[in-house]
Amino acid sequence: MPNRNGEQWLDTDGNPVQAHGGMILKHEDTFYWYGENKAGPNVVSSIGGRKVDFIGISCYTSTNLKDWHYEGLVLTASEEPQDKLYKDKIIERPKVIFSKATQEFVLWFHYDHDDYLYAACGVATAKSPIGPFILQDIFKPNRKDCRDMTIFEDGEKAYLIHSSDFNKTMYISELTEDRKALTGLYTKILIDQEREAPAVFKRNGLYFMLTSGTTGWDPNAALYSRSPFLFSPHKLIDNPCEGPNYRQTFFGQTNYAFEVDGEVYLMLDHWKPENLQASGYSILPIEVFGEKKRDLRVVWTEKPFGGKYQ
Ligand code: DGJ
């Protein structure tokens, strides 16, 4: 059975894909899908929230974006209660970037305590895209709190883009050439708009960002914003979703935008709050249209993703 949008997906061994809040990186001729492995029972956090204890970050590989082979955990939870990667920690939205300068793979993620009040980011590095990644640092980017985040590469530069000021405002922070730290250059956008789950891409000289509202695991309306410059105000435009349940992003949440053969795609997580490990995925084309191609459309389809790779 092929994987269908909105449902739990299976890997090439027939096991559920455990790569939530993730991303797809193309390196050489292989696609690498990194995400949160939530293959454990829901537990109640100290503030009464629903979560799965930290297990690790999974990696799956594919050459056709359709068949995903499980490569194992590339960052693994520690058994030691005093360890920074102990299972009670929150490690979400992993994003991997390759540093041409060091030839290393750098994994960034949202790092938190079980009450989401620590609000930092973590950095780990590996020589190989299938790990193992070794933890290098955990810190608050430019001394700001950091929750949902992504990494965006723009030519020779790269940026950490993260919800901050208690999820009120989005921050964009420039990465160093080795991709392991920040240069100190940063700006804030979407001020007081309460957006999270950023997915970013560039098209026709415009920067587009798709985000969700902040309603925990429950779906809400996605919005897109755009700007001719990354470091200038981004204007919130509209909900780009079209189709059933478009007001709830098809019961999904934005996660990551990536480009293949000139087309842009949006990854969604379809969270199942009662049993997070059963959460599903979608990959949907993002259509850029209109005068001067300044508008976006994301049309629902249940069809399994594979694009022209199918
Ligand atoms: C919404 C975020 O987008 C998710 O990554 C996760 O942190 C949940 N909140 C937890 O409620």
Side-chain angles (χ1 to χ4, degrees), residues 216-228:
W217 302 115
D218 298 326
N220 53 56
L223 289 175
Y224 75 93
S225 56
R226 66 163 187 253
S227 173

Side-chain angles (χ1 to χ4, degrees), residues 43-51 53 88 90 92 110 112-119 147 166-167 216-217:
V43 294
V44 179
S45 75
S46 59
I47 52 165
R50 287 174 283 205
K51 65 165 208 165
D53 276 342
D88 65 342
I90 303 276
E92 291 182 337
H110 167 201
D112 227 314
H113 292 170
D114 145 285
D115 54 8
Y116 281 97
L117 287 177
Y118 193 74
R147 291 190 173 86
F166 279 87
N167 278 349
W217 302 115

Side-chain angles (χ1 to χ4, degrees), residues 92-93 116 148 196 216-217 253:
E92 291 182 337
R93 298 197 173 262
Y116 281 97
D148 277 6
E196 64 179 3
W217 302 115
Q253 185 187 26

